[in-house]
Amino acid sequence: MSAITIIGQGPAALLAASFIQEVQQDCVIVADSEGSLPLWSGSFDFHAPSDDISNPWSLLDRQPLMLPAETWAFLWESLVGFERAAGIPVAADIPSHNWWTITCTGKSKSVFVVPQWQYVQKTFLPVWFIGFQGLADSMADFQCHTYQQQTGVDAGFHVLPNPTPWTPSWGPIRWASYMDTDEGLSWLLSEIQKVAPEIPKTWPILLPQVIGRRRAEHNLQALTTALGQMVFEYPLVTPSLGGMRIRDRWVWYLKKQGVPFLTGRAISVEKGWVTLADGRQWHSDHVIVATGGILGGGLEVMVDGRLRDPLRDTVVGRMPPGRAIDLYSWGQPADYGTPEMTACGSQCGGWDPNQDGNGGAMILATVWQSLCRTGIFSNLGSCNSERSVTHVGK
Amino acid sequence: MWENDDACIKCSICISVCPVYGQDLEFPGPKALGPDWFRAYQANPLTVPSEHVDDCTFCQLCEASCPVHVPIAHLIAQHKSLKKKTWRINLRDRILAHPHWVARYPRLANAPNFLVRPLGFGTQSRWPRPQRRVAPLSSSPQADTRQIVGLFVDCYSRGFDQDVLSAAQALLELWGFSVRLLPHASHCCGAAAYAAGQPEEGQRIAHSTYDAMTPGLTDLSQIVTLNATCDSTLREEWPLYWNLSLPVPVLSFSEFALDKAPAWFWDAMHKGMTARQEQGETTSWIHTTCRSRVSRGDGILEQLADKAGLAAIQPLNLACCGAGGSYAFKEEHEKTAHALGAAALEQVTETHDRIIVDSGTCALHLTQITGALAKHPAYWLYQRFLSLTQRSGDIASQEK
Ligand SMILES: Cc1cc2nc3c(=O)[nH]c(=O)nc-3n(C[C@H](O)[C@H](O)[C@H](O)COP(=O)(O)OP(=O)(O)OC[C@H]3O[C@@H](n4cnc5c(N)ncnc54)[C@H](O)[C@@H]3O)c2cc1C
Ligand code: SF4
Ligand code: SF4
C-alpha cells in the first residue's frame, strides 16, 4: 500500500494529498463521507471576519501555532498553486493586504485567498446587488441597506422574478443547476437587461453565488461581455456553491494525479496499520488523521493521545509515542518521537475556526506540521527549525 | 427502521453529490425523498409519495456522502415501494426487477420496438445482444494454488457478457485457481428489484439465490464478482438489509486480481510488446461505477490497469454514467440517463480508445454514448495477455 495514508477527505486531507503529490510521493485517501467543503463559501479564512487587516502578516502571531513568516509565505503560495492547478480561479499573487468581500447580509468581510467568481474590493465602492425572488438567502434589499449603512457608500438593488421552471423547493444547488443550462443563462441575461438601464455603468453587478456549478466562470464572463459591465457573485450561507466547486475540482485534480479515494470507515489505526470497518487492512509508513470533527463524529484525538471513534465510543488507536500530550501542540515535531501518525485539520486541539474565523490558517498550519513529521519536506529548512514550532497556545 | 434513519442534520451535502439532482430540474433530490419523506411518513403514514421518486437511480452516492450516515438511498427505495403505478409500468418494472428471467432467455432483449414501447421500455438506449457461452480460453494453469474460487455469474454476464465471463474464468484458472460458477442456473442478487423500489421482492430473490448458492460454498476460499452492484449487494446489503450472510468472503474481480494474480502474470503483461503493438496503444479510460465507488472507492481500477501495463490511464469524470442497471431502459429515464453519460464525451473523443468499467450495463451504455468499446477489466486483461503471449484467438472474435 501507499507510503502515506490520509484518513478524511475534507480540505485538510485534500491539501495534505496535494503536498504529497507535489513531492512525488504516493498517498491514499480513505474517508467514510464527504468532508465539509460543500459548506464553505470558498475563501480560506485567516482571522475573525470583522477585522480590518491591512497587513496579513500581522495575523500570524494570532494563530495557535506560530510559524515563521517564510513558512506562511510558502504555505500560502502552495495553496494558491494547488487551487490554480485544480482549475479554481484564484489570483496568482500571495496577498499583501486583505480584500473586502460582501456577504449576503450586506456586511463586509475581510478575505485573502478567494476564487475570482466572488466579488472583492480593496476599498468600499458603489455596487449593485441583485437578488432572486425565489432564493431565500438572497435578500438584496436588506443587503443593500446594510452595505450602505456600514460603509457609507452608495448602492442599489433589484430583485428578479422567478424563472418559469422555478418551484418553491429550489435551493441554491438547484438554482446553480439551472444556470448551467443555456435556458438558465439566457433567462438571467434577459432579466438583468430589463433593469440594466437603471444600473450605473461603472458599478459592478453582484449576483447570488448560484451562477452555475460547472459553468460559473463561463456564465459570469458571458454576462460581463453582454452587459458591458463587471458581474460577480456574493457568497450565500450553506450549502455553498463556492465550496462545492472547489471540492469538485480539487478532488478531480487529485484523482487525475492518481490519488486513490477509498471509501470506508477507519476503525483501528495502530502502528501504521489502518483497518476499515469492511475488513480491509494495510500498512503505511505514516498515517495522517484528517477526520474533522464538526459533522458526523469523525475520529477524535483525546488529551491522552488516544484516538476515539465517537460513533462507536471505542478507542481505535493511539498517537505515538503513547503518552499524555498537550492537544495545543498537535503535530509538533518536538512532541513526537516517531513519525507514524499525525493529525491535521479541525480536529486538532487549540483551534476553533468557527469562532476565530481562521479555518484556512488552521488547515495550512496543521497540514504543514503533519507533513513535516512524515519527513517528505526534509529538504525544507523550516520543518526542522526549532523556532518553526514555537507554541503560543491561547 | 434502520440505524441513523432519523439522524439527518439537514446539511445538504447529499444534494451536492446527487447526479440526478444536478441534471433533472424536477427531481427533488436525496434529502427530500429520503430523510425528509421518512420523517413526514413517520408522522403521517398517509403521506403521498413523490411523483418523482422513481427517478432516483439508486446509485447510493448520496448515502456515501452523508456525514451522519443516514441510509438515504434505502429510505428512498422504501419510499418508491409506496408509489402507485399503472398496470403497464408495473408489468415493465416487474420484468426489469427480475433480470435473471431475461438472462435465461436473452433473446427477449431483441424484442422489436413496437412490442416493447407500449410497455414503457425505452427505445433510445441500446439493448444488449445475447452472447452464447464461450468456452474458457486459457491453456493449462501455470500455477497451482489448490484453492477453489466461486465466480458469481450475475444475470448480465450470463446472458449478454459471456466474453467477460470466459475471460475472468480463464484468468483465474491461469493463476492456478479452480473455478466454480455460482449459482448454477440464472439467478439475481436482488439489486435490480431493490433499485426499482421492490425491497421485499428483492429480498425474496436474494434468498432464493442464496439457497441456490450455498450448497457449493463450503470448500471455497473466495467468491469473486464481475459486477460492482452485485458485489456490494452480496457483501454489504445481504447481511445488512436481508439478514443473509455468506460464509465466504466476497471480492470484486479487480481487487482479487490485484491481490492474488501471481508475479509471473504481471511480468508477462509488461514484456514482449512489439513496437507495432506499442504504437497501437490507446488511452485507457477508467469508469469506476457509482456502486463500486460507494462500496470500495475510486482508484482501484486505475491500479489494476497500471499493474497490467496498460498505457495512458485516465479516469473518467463521471459520478454516475446513467445506466443505473435497468434505469436507462425505461422510457421516462432515457433523457436523464443519456445526459449523465454524455459527460464522458468531453473526454473520450477517439472511438478506438478503450473504456474499463466494472459493470456490464454501464459498459453497454458508455459504448453507445462514446462509440468506444467499454468492457470489464477481466476482458481487457485477458485480451492483453493473449496478445502479449502470442496466444491464438481473440475473445471478441468468438462472440456470437
Ligand atoms: C458550516 C461551516 C462552514 C465553514 N466555512 C469555512 C470557510 O468558508 N472558510 C474557512 O476557512 N473555514 C470554514 N469553516 C471552518 C473549518 O475550516 C472547517 O471546520 C474545516 O473544513 C474542517 O476541515 P477538515 O478537513 O479538518 O475536516 P472535515 O472537512 O470535517 O473532514 C473530515 C473527514 O474525515 C472523515 N472521517 C472522519 N472520521 C473518519 C473515520 N473514522 N474513517 C474514515 N473517515 C473519517 C469524514 O468522512 C470527512 O471526510 C467552516 C466550518 C463549518 C462548520
Ligand atoms: S447528507 Fe445526511 S445529514 Fe446532510 S442533508 Fe443529506 S441526509 Fe441529511
Ligand atoms: S441514490 Fe443516487 S440518484 Fe438516488 S437520490 Fe441518492 S444520489 Fe441521487
Side-chain angles (χ1 to χ4, degrees):
Chain A
M1 204 51 164
S2 286
I4 302 176
T5 295
I6 303 170
I7 307 177
Q9 58 179 343
L14 301 181
L15 183 68
S18 304
F19 272 122
I20 295 167
Q21 275 300 303
E22 185 81 355
V23 294
Q24 321 235 309
Q25 295 266 337
D26 282 345
C27 68
V28 58
I29 282 185
V30 57
D32 70 341
S33 71
E34 283 292 320
S36 54
L37 265 176
L39 308 178
W40 283 38
S41 67
S43 65
F44 272 76
D45 295 339
F46 288 90
H47 59 91
S50 57
D51 291 357
D52 178 6
I53 304 293
S54 57
N55 172 9
W57 307 109
S58 68
L59 303 171
L60 303 179
D61 61 2
R62 300 190 196 179
Q63 308 297 353
L65 271 181
M66 211 165 82
L67 302 174
E70 68 266 25
T71 302
W72 279 111
F74 166 75
L75 294 173
W76 233 317
E77 229 166 44
S78 304
L79 172 66
V80 165
F82 295 141
E83 289 202 68
R84 286 168 67 85
I88 302 155
V90 287
D93 306 334
I94 348 172
S96 59
H97 58 84
N98 75 297
W99 296 83
W100 293 104
T101 194
I102 309 173
T103 69
C104 60
T105 58
K107 286 189 184 157
S108 294
K109 174 184 164 185
S110 57
V111 287
F112 290 90
V113 181
V114 193
Q116 285 162 342
W117 52 62
Q118 185 166 328
Y119 180 66
V120 291
Q121 54 188 359
K122 267 188 197 167
T123 51
F124 303 122
L125 297 169
V127 293
W128 197 276
F129 297 102
I130 288 198
F132 296 159
Q133 197 186 358
L135 178 61
D137 303 330
S138 71
M139 306 160 287
D141 47 349
F142 177 68
Q143 193 182 22
C144 180
H145 178 73
T146 313
Y147 183 69
Q148 283 173 324
Q149 284 231 315
Q150 291 204 341
T151 62
V153 170
D154 210 0
F157 76 93
H158 269 111
V159 177
L160 303 186
N162 294 322
T164 319
W166 180 87
T167 67
S169 69
W170 278 32
I173 305 176
R174 169 71 8 111
W175 273 96
S177 302
Y178 178 59
M179 296 300 175
D180 273 345
T181 64
D182 293 340
E183 182 196 327
L185 179 60
S186 39
W187 166 80
L188 181 57
L189 178 59
S190 71
E191 288 300 325
I192 302 178
Q193 273 167 338
K194 284 183 202 162
V195 297
E198 291 173 46
I199 307 175
K201 270 289 170 203
T202 52
W203 293 17
I205 297 176
L206 308 191
L207 299 168
Q209 194 177 63
V210 294
I211 311 304
R213 180 156 166 190
R214 293 187 313 272
R215 294 185 8 177
E217 295 103 303
H218 165 272
N219 288 351
L220 291 169
Q221 186 54 52
L223 293 168
T224 296
T225 308
L227 297 164
Q229 70 195 105
M230 300 303 287
V231 182
F232 297 96
E233 291 178 322
Y234 56 83
L236 303 173
V237 295
T238 62
S240 172
L241 266 298
M244 276 171 55
R245 291 175 198 147
I246 294 179
R247 187 253 338 246
D248 291 350
R249 295 176 197 196
W250 204 346
V251 168
W252 173 233
Y253 164 73
L254 286 169
K255 282 184 183 171
K256 276 193 297 183
Q257 306 293 309
V259 176
F261 278 68
L262 301 185
T263 311
R265 183 162 186 88
I267 54 161
S268 161
V269 195
E270 286 281 4
K271 298 192 167 78
W273 283 97
V274 178
T275 310
L276 303 188
D278 64 15
R280 280 180 286 178
Q281 191 184 50
W282 64 88
H283 187 268
S284 295
D285 297 341
H286 189 93
V287 180
I288 295 176
V289 183
T291 48
I294 305 287
L295 301 169
L299 293 184
E300 287 171 6
V301 183
M302 299 170 76
V303 272
D304 60 359
R306 285 179 301 160
L307 269 182
R308 177 177 162 268
D309 181 344
L311 287 187
R312 293 156 198 254
D313 195 20
T314 50
V315 172
V316 302
R318 176 180 288 281
M319 306 302 290
R323 61 183 166 76
I325 53 160
D326 165 13
L327 270 191
Y328 284 103
S329 58
W330 247 111
Q332 292 189 21
D335 274 33
Y336 290 102
T338 73
E340 287 165 12
M341 180 159 48
T342 45
C344 58
S346 67
Q347 64 121 301
C348 291
W351 296 85
D352 189 353
N354 300 324
Q355 183 191 301
D356 300 339
N358 60 355
M362 170 189 75
I363 281 160
L364 285 179
T366 57
V367 166
W368 166 253
Q369 292 285 306
S370 239
L371 290 174
C372 279
R373 294 305 300 136
T374 67
I376 66 169
F377 288 147
S378 54
N379 54 342
L380 293 172
S382 54
C383 254
N384 307 318
S385 117
E386 278 298 313
R387 73 194 167 87
S388 72
V389 290
T390 313
H391 168 223
V392 292
K394 290 212 165 184
Chain B
M1 192 159 56
W2 298 305
E3 209 182 348
N4 304 323
D5 56 11
D6 196 23
C8 174
I9 51 170
K10 298 187 177 288
C11 68
S12 296
I13 285 181
C14 53
I15 306 178
S16 84
V17 300
C18 172
V20 177
Y21 189 82
Q23 196 64 54
D24 172 356
L25 293 182
E26 291 182 358
F27 183 63
K31 181 168 140 302
L33 295 175
D36 288 357
W37 164 80
F38 180 66
R39 281 174 178 160
Y41 179 71
Q42 294 285 93
N44 175 13
L46 297 177
T47 303
V48 181
S50 161
E51 59 174 314
H52 299 290
V53 65
D54 280 328
D55 299 339
C56 155
T57 63
F58 202 55
C59 68
Q60 304 190 9
L61 289 166
C62 50
E63 198 164 309
S65 76
C66 175
V68 291
H69 310 292
V70 175
I72 312 171
H74 292 84
L75 291 175
I76 296 175
Q78 215 61 38
H79 184 174
K80 286 178 183 173
S81 71
L82 301 175
K83 193 175 163 216
K84 300 254 179 306
K85 296 176 189 166
T86 61
W87 70 266
R88 85 184 170 102
I89 295 297
N90 247 335
L91 175 62
R92 178 201 66 184
D93 288 357
R94 195 162 160 70
I95 295 170
L96 290 176
H98 296 77
H100 50 303
W101 293 349
V102 185
R104 245 173 250 165
Y105 310 103
R107 283 185 194 286
L108 283 174
N110 288 347
N113 279 352
F114 74 86
L115 278 182
V116 298
R117 196 181 287 126
L119 283 178
F121 288 99
T123 49
Q124 305 302 311
S125 295
R126 183 182 296 171
W127 284 79
R129 293 224 191 98
Q131 274 186 357
R132 278 222 309 266
R133 178 92 179 105
V134 180
L137 298 164
S138 72
S139 56
S140 54
Q142 309 219 349
D144 183 9
T145 70
R146 295 180 197 285
Q147 283 182 19
I148 312 172
V149 295
L151 184 57
F152 183 77
V153 187
D154 56 276
C155 25
Y156 191 86
S157 300
R158 189 183 297 271
F160 309 104
D161 245 355
Q162 283 283 339
D163 47 2
V164 168
L165 182 59
S166 295
Q169 185 172 355
L171 286 170
L172 292 169
E173 287 174 353
L174 202 64
W175 301 337
F177 297 94
S178 294
V179 178
R180 185 173 304 148
L181 301 182
L182 294 170
H184 190 62
S186 184
H187 281 269
C188 169
C189 63
Y194 212 151
Q198 302 172 31
E200 279 82 26
E201 185 61 6
Q203 178 165 21
R204 202 195 55 69
I205 295 170
H207 274 267
S208 119
T209 303
Y210 179 86
D211 292 342
M213 277 166 72
T214 33
L217 297 185
T218 44
D219 53 349
L220 297 186
S221 61
Q222 191 87 46
I223 293 174
V224 174
T225 61
L226 293 171
N227 180 298
T229 302
C230 311
D231 181 69
S232 59
T233 304
L234 294 185
R235 191 179 42 247
E236 289 153 23
E237 294 188 327
W238 275 24
L240 196 59
Y241 294 99
W242 292 336
N243 206 18
L244 287 171
S245 194
L246 286 164
V248 186
V250 177
L251 204 61
S252 72
F253 176 87
S254 312
E255 285 186 86
F256 185 84
L258 276 168
D259 192 32
K260 293 285 194 307
W264 65 259
F265 173 76
W266 301 117
D267 286 347
M269 297 292 268
H270 285 264
K271 280 187 201 146
M273 193 175 242
T274 62
R276 208 163 136 238
Q277 280 172 320
E278 255 170 41
Q279 268 181 2
E281 273 293 274
T282 58
T283 303
S284 299
W285 298 102
I286 308 279
H287 176 50
T288 302
T289 58
C290 40
R291 290 293 294 272
S292 179
R293 181 173 304 164
V294 165
S295 172
R296 309 295 272 186
D298 254 321
I300 295 165
L301 293 182
E302 282 88 339
Q303 276 176 40
L304 183 67
D306 183 48
K307 201 165 177 183
L310 293 175
I313 303 160
Q314 288 286 328
L316 280 177
N317 195 5
L318 287 177
C320 163
C321 70
S326 58
Y327 186 85
F329 299 136
K330 299 180 183 175
E331 64 178 353
E332 69 275 25
H333 295 151
E334 279 186 321
K335 192 168 156 238
T336 304
H338 285 259
L340 290 173
L345 288 171
E346 287 172 23
Q347 291 177 273
V348 187
T349 50
E350 304 289 343
T351 51
H352 61 262
D353 283 353
R354 67 168 78 86
I355 302 178
I356 304 174
V357 51
D358 48 359
S359 150
T361 42
C362 303
L364 180 74
H365 191 62
L366 286 172
T367 301
Q368 181 187 3
I369 285 173
T370 62
L373 183 62
K375 279 286 193 182
H376 188 274
Y379 174 92
W380 294 118
L381 248 62
Y382 196 58
Q383 279 277 314
R384 183 172 172 85
F385 181 76
L386 287 181
S387 71
L388 291 183
T389 53
Q390 314 290 315
R391 278 153 205 260
S392 58
D394 172 326
I395 39 181
S397 72
Q398 300 201 24
E399 290 176 23
K400 290 277 165 353

